[in-house]
Amino acid sequence: MLVLAGAGSGKTRVITHRIARLMERGVPAHMICALTFTNKAAGEMAERVGHIVKEQGLGGKHGAKGIVISTFHSFGLMVLGREKKSLGGAFTIFDQGDCVSAVKEIMSRTDAGKKLDAAAILTRISNAKNAFLSPEEFEPREGDEYDEVTKVVYARYQSALRSFRAFDFDDLVCEVARLWKDRPDILDRWQKEFMYVLVDEYQDTNRAQLEVLRLLAGRHRNICVVGDDDQSIYAWRGADVRNILDFDEQFPGAKIVMLDQNYRSMAPILAVANAVIEKRTDSKYKKFLRTDKEGGEKVRLGVAPSPEAEAAYVAREMRRLMREEQKKPKDMAILYRSNGQAKALEEALREQEVPYRMIGGQQFFERKEVKDILAYLKVALNRADEISLRRIINYPPRGIGDTSLERLTQNATAKGWTLWQAVERCDALDGIPNPAREGCKQLERVVADMRKKLMIDRLKANEVARWLTETIELRKDIDATSTSVKNAAKRWGNVEGLFGIFTRREARVEAKGNDATAEKDLMNFLHSLTLQMSDEEDDPGNVVTLSTLHGSKGLEFDYVFLIGCEEGLIPHMRTLEVKATDATVQDIEEERRLFYVGVTRARKRLDLLRCKHRVSRGKPVPRTPCRFLADIPEELTEPFEVKDAVVMNTTEMAAGATNLLAMLDSLGGS
């Protein structure tokens, strides 16, 4: 079954209530598997399912226990973890930073591509993997320097992963598909385990994820997916809108259900959204959202003389809404196509004293001090984890500089050792200076003590982590390397936060009656932490949200200001610079869907803003309105002009000066 659920129509509700209905019909909880794309979405879905199942008294004393509700990557990790014997034993997971580091290391050893962006090379490798293209099958596009370097790096990157006994995020899906194809007996076990498969946000699936679903549901054909092709906006990271458009061809006999009632937006906002998406040329499903929420303000269409004026207007209007209408900052958002547009906004918001948060900043598990502690634990459990070892080998500093590390690496390569074996045998190696030898011995002692505490003394991870920070004097190093006392306190707070995560995890495991210190269980937990993605933010509090259009998907706000509605921003310049090909048309259509996503984030009021000029190379350049604005009938919008920011600031300054003079007069000043 394909449920085509428009924006604000309750996609997740469909999944959660279908799970409850399956259990009501007698399906055991452990036979149900629901997949989505972010840890946050999976957590919310699990919470909703647990509540519904408990409320309806389903599942007996076990309730919803046993249902697998996870991301595709977490599901893949579960499969590979249980089948690791077939894969050659234990493995580690590289996070995005690890992968970029590996690519940089490979690029540094090649003549070509040293100046290219490693992250862009990794994106090309990722897209190739998800299309099931091996390094040998990857064909560079003519004249594309990045593709040509990718051809060289891809094979070496895969070889590096194998030597490290590691998988990257893409492997967590691709390797499951390969394993199931190569081993029908293993596939048979998993097909019997999960008789009912459900998928949320199906429009975001890539080819590899489609293949996993086709294999898993190939026998029982019980698969229900929910999605909206109008919100397919992630082609740049491999998502393929054809997966949802061709669902009835991939899964013959499928039933298709349309959900077209929007429960989020007021009628004027929805009318604009429908007008924009109606012009799509690449969809075989035409659906127009309807709502019972009549009335509401027209969509405001603002034109500003400059980005500074645009930002100043948004900040002033938000301050007005907060002070005059008592609106909460958390109910407001500013959306934009590119992160580069945020600088002027931040300055204007600070000037108006409007609190804000920006989606897409550095996340908890990406912070240096957190990654350092996790790397120590990973090396203690798996000394072949070279990426983690490289991270901690000289942190805190212990005399093993870049030159010494390179010599250790060269010796390891020449002798067929792992890097850890070279560390252990440093006394027998030539060219290693005495400070580095002593540093290797210090590191070896620390790791050996950690292994003993974890595997023999069976201490809890929280206890071992605290012991580690004291042993390596981590707090002392943080104090010495931080930019301020406040920064040092914040960084140490991150360390304490990690201790808290371990403590809570150990309490959960003990409550289940399992051994919280088991090596296997801890490694699985460290793997799961690696999968914590950018959606794992704490509650930001009562602040305005700044986000790219891509980052806003799944969110909703009472008041939305969508800025930069100009050609070159939306649609983005990248889609306009290419020659007129089918691929270009597809790119433009994705930009249309992205604009539609931004519009449908608004519940009560929507402002669409653009600038007359933007400065390029020191000169003001006229801007053309976004082509999608032309698709909106005039009667649906209320146009207005934004005054120049400089004029407004001068007026405010003059008023302030007048008030100051009056105050001085009253005090007898001159």
Side-chain angles (χ1 to χ4, degrees):
M1 176 182 284
L2 165 63
V3 180
L4 282 167
S9 63
K11 286 191 287 294
T12 304
R13 181 181 173 86
V14 170
I15 296 286
T16 55
H17 280 72
R18 184 175 174 89
I19 290 173
R21 179 63 171 164
L22 288 172
M23 293 183 65
E24 184 183 326
R25 296 291 294 272
V27 176
H30 64 82
M31 291 183 129
I32 301 172
C33 174
L35 300 174
T36 186
F37 285 86
T38 68
N39 292 296
K40 182 179 180 182
E44 289 176 354
M45 191 187 299
E47 187 176 341
R48 288 197 206 181
V49 168
H51 177 74
I52 295 170
V53 167
K54 183 178 180 181
E55 192 177 63
Q56 297 183 12
L58 302 173
K61 64 178 181 179
H62 298 295
K65 185 178 180 181
I67 301 175
V68 170
I69 300 177
S70 77
T71 64
F72 275 93
H73 292 99
S74 295
F75 177 75
L77 176 60
M78 178 180 73
V79 174
L80 297 177
R82 280 168 51 179
E83 304 295 347
K84 65 183 179 183
K85 286 185 179 179
S86 301
L87 299 166
F91 56 84
T92 191
I93 305 295
F94 277 14
D95 65 17
Q96 187 73 3
D98 297 333
C99 296
V100 171
S101 296
V103 170
K104 284 181 178 177
E105 177 73 15
I106 294 166
M107 290 171 67
S108 71
R109 298 179 185 177
T110 62
D111 294 331
K114 288 184 179 179
K115 296 181 180 180
L116 300 185
D117 180 19
I121 299 293
L122 185 62
T123 296
R124 283 164 168 77
I125 293 173
S126 173
N127 289 339
K129 281 191 174 187
N130 285 307
F132 290 108
L133 292 176
S134 67
E136 296 73 28
E137 294 168 329
F138 179 82
E139 288 297 331
R141 289 167 290 192
E142 186 176 352
D144 191 319
E145 185 180 11
Y146 273 91
D147 272 11
E148 291 168 2
V149 173
T150 300
K151 178 72 174 177
V152 175
V153 173
Y154 186 6
R156 299 184 186 185
Y157 173 77
Q158 284 299 94
S159 178
L161 286 181
R162 286 193 293 271
S163 67
F164 296 155
R165 293 289 309 137
F167 291 130
D168 62 17
F169 283 172
D170 297 312
D171 290 330
L172 295 179
V173 178
C174 296
E175 290 302 318
V176 170
R178 284 198 179 91
L179 177 65
W180 284 352
K181 282 183 174 180
D182 294 342
R183 292 287 302 274
D185 56 321
I186 294 176
L187 172 61
D188 180 68
R189 280 205 312 272
W190 287 93
Q191 287 178 333
K192 289 177 179 175
E193 181 161 350
F194 295 115
M195 294 287 290
Y196 294 85
V197 181
L198 304 97
V199 185
D200 197 13
E201 302 288 3
Y202 186 72
Q203 76 281 346
D204 294 338
T205 54
N206 58 33
R207 181 179 169 184
Q209 289 158 342
L210 170 62
E211 196 59 28
V212 165
L213 294 171
R214 288 178 63 183
L215 289 165
L216 185 57
R219 172 186 292 180
H220 50 67
R221 295 165 53 85
N222 290 320
I223 179 168
C224 173
V225 307
V226 184
D228 182 8
D229 57 302
D230 289 336
Q231 296 186 72
S232 179
I233 59 173
Y234 295 122
W236 52 276
R237 69 183 189 195
D240 191 343
V241 70
R242 290 174 300 180
N243 286 359
I244 192 167
L245 295 178
D246 299 338
F247 183 82
D248 53 347
E249 297 174 24
Q250 302 285 1
F251 299 91
K255 182 175 182 179
I256 298 175
V257 177
M258 296 266 193
L259 296 185
D260 61 359
Q261 182 166 0
N262 175 289
Y263 297 94
R264 175 188 302 157
S265 305
M266 301 299 290
I269 296 171
L270 216 53
V272 167
N274 282 333
V276 170
I277 209 64
E278 180 185 4
K279 302 296 183 180
R280 267 188 72 184
T281 61
D282 63 342
S283 177
K284 67 180 183 182
Y285 304 115
K286 289 291 183 182
K287 56 183 181 297
F288 298 98
L289 297 178
R290 57 187 175 83
T291 181
D292 292 337
K293 294 186 175 183
E294 299 300 330
E297 300 181 53
K298 281 188 175 182
V299 171
R300 293 162 55 84
L301 201 58
V303 182
S306 67
E308 292 74 23
E310 179 184 56
Y313 160 74
V314 173
R316 287 196 310 273
E317 181 62 9
M318 286 186 159
R319 184 184 67 173
R320 187 192 69 78
L321 288 168
M322 289 163 52
R323 294 183 178 179
E324 295 181 15
E325 300 187 24
Q326 285 74 54
K327 305 302 181 186
K328 296 179 180 178
K330 68 179 181 180
D331 292 330
M332 295 183 267
I334 311 172
L335 308 182
Y336 39 83
R337 177 64 178 84
S338 172
N339 275 314
Q341 297 169 256
K343 186 174 183 295
L345 288 169
E346 290 192 88
E347 292 174 359
L349 291 170
R350 283 196 293 266
E351 184 178 323
Q352 296 293 341
E353 298 181 341
V354 175
Y356 69 90
R357 60 127 178 196
M358 185 180 297
I359 290 180
Q362 188 181 37
Q363 305 306 313
F364 181 79
F365 291 103
E366 295 172 353
R367 290 163 187 159
K368 181 182 183 304
E369 49 278 2
V370 173
K371 291 194 73 170
D372 290 336
I373 295 172
L374 294 177
Y376 269 100
L377 287 166
K378 288 178 181 179
V379 171
L381 294 171
N382 177 16
R383 287 166 294 183
D385 185 346
E386 185 168 324
I387 289 290
S388 294
L389 176 55
R390 284 176 174 273
R391 184 176 188 91
I392 64 168
I393 197 167
N394 198 41
Y395 182 76
R398 53 173 63 92
I400 310 173
D402 291 343
T403 302
S404 297
L405 176 57
E406 182 61 26
R407 288 174 181 167
L408 287 167
T409 302
Q410 290 170 353
N411 276 281
T413 302
K415 299 177 185 299
W417 296 346
T418 64
L419 181 58
W420 178 260
Q421 288 172 323
V423 169
E424 287 182 312
R425 304 168 190 179
C426 64
D427 279 340
L429 303 178
D430 296 328
I432 309 296
N434 287 333
R437 293 183 196 276
E438 181 56 35
C440 287
K441 291 174 184 176
Q442 289 176 11
L443 177 62
E444 191 181 350
R445 285 195 293 270
V446 170
V447 172
D449 285 347
M450 288 181 70
R451 287 177 63 82
K452 178 178 180 293
K453 291 177 184 298
L454 286 167
M455 301 177 191
I456 298 176
D457 300 340
R458 304 181 76 74
L459 295 181
K460 296 177 180 178
N462 175 51
E463 296 170 326
V464 177
R466 288 182 183 276
W467 170 87
L468 170 70
T469 58
E470 293 172 6
T471 301
I472 65 175
E473 298 183 318
L474 183 61
R475 183 153 200 177
K476 181 179 178 181
D477 184 79
I478 286 176
D479 289 340
T481 57
S482 296
T483 55
S484 65
V485 174
K486 184 177 180 181
N487 178 246
K490 184 175 181 180
R491 291 179 63 193
W492 184 252
N494 293 334
V495 174
E496 293 282 2
L498 183 61
F499 294 158
I501 287 171
F502 280 126
T503 300
R504 290 191 295 274
R505 167 247 174 197
E506 285 151 6
R508 288 196 302 270
V509 174
E510 287 177 350
K512 293 179 180 178
N514 295 337
D515 184 351
T517 60
E519 174 189 357
K520 176 182 175 183
D521 181 63
L522 179 57
M523 181 57 87
N524 287 340
F525 183 66
L526 295 178
H527 283 168
S528 71
L529 292 186
T530 306
L531 299 185
Q532 301 299 309
M533 306 298 281
S534 60
D535 59 293
E536 296 304 295
E537 292 187 355
D538 295 330
D539 182 359
N542 193 20
V543 296
V544 167
T545 294
L546 274 63
S547 175
T548 62
L549 289 167
H550 284 102
S552 72
K553 187 166 170 293
L555 304 178
E556 55 184 79
F557 306 90
D558 285 349
Y559 302 88
V560 170
F561 297 80
L562 202 170
I563 68 169
C565 298
E566 306 149 31
E567 292 287 293
L569 284 175
I570 178 80
H572 196 277
M573 183 60 69
R574 285 194 301 268
T575 66
L576 304 177
E577 290 176 338
V578 193
K579 295 178 181 178
T581 63
D582 288 341
T584 309
V585 172
Q586 291 170 11
D587 290 341
I588 295 292
E589 288 306 299
E590 174 146 330
E591 294 287 301
R592 178 185 296 280
R593 297 194 295 270
L594 189 58
F595 185 80
Y596 170 82
V597 165
V599 168
T600 53
R601 298 311 92 197
R603 288 190 288 242
K604 295 181 179 178
R605 172 179 156 183
L606 172 66
D607 283 35
L608 302 175
L609 294 146
R610 65 179 179 87
C611 297
K612 291 180 180 178
H613 296 87
R614 287 184 187 268
V615 174
S616 177
R617 298 178 182 176
K619 296 182 180 180
V621 178
R623 304 292 293 182
T624 304
C626 162
R627 66 187 64 189
F628 307 135
L629 296 179
D631 296 329
I632 305 171
E634 289 184 9
E635 63 269 19
L636 297 182
T637 61
E638 181 182 323
F640 69 99
E641 290 280 336
V642 175
K643 295 181 181 179
D644 193 285
V646 176
V647 173
M648 292 299 296
N649 286 341
T650 303
T651 303
E652 290 170 357
M653 287 167 63
T658 302
N659 291 336
L660 178 59
L661 287 171
M663 182 179 71
L664 288 172
D665 283 341
S666 68
L667 295 173
S670 61

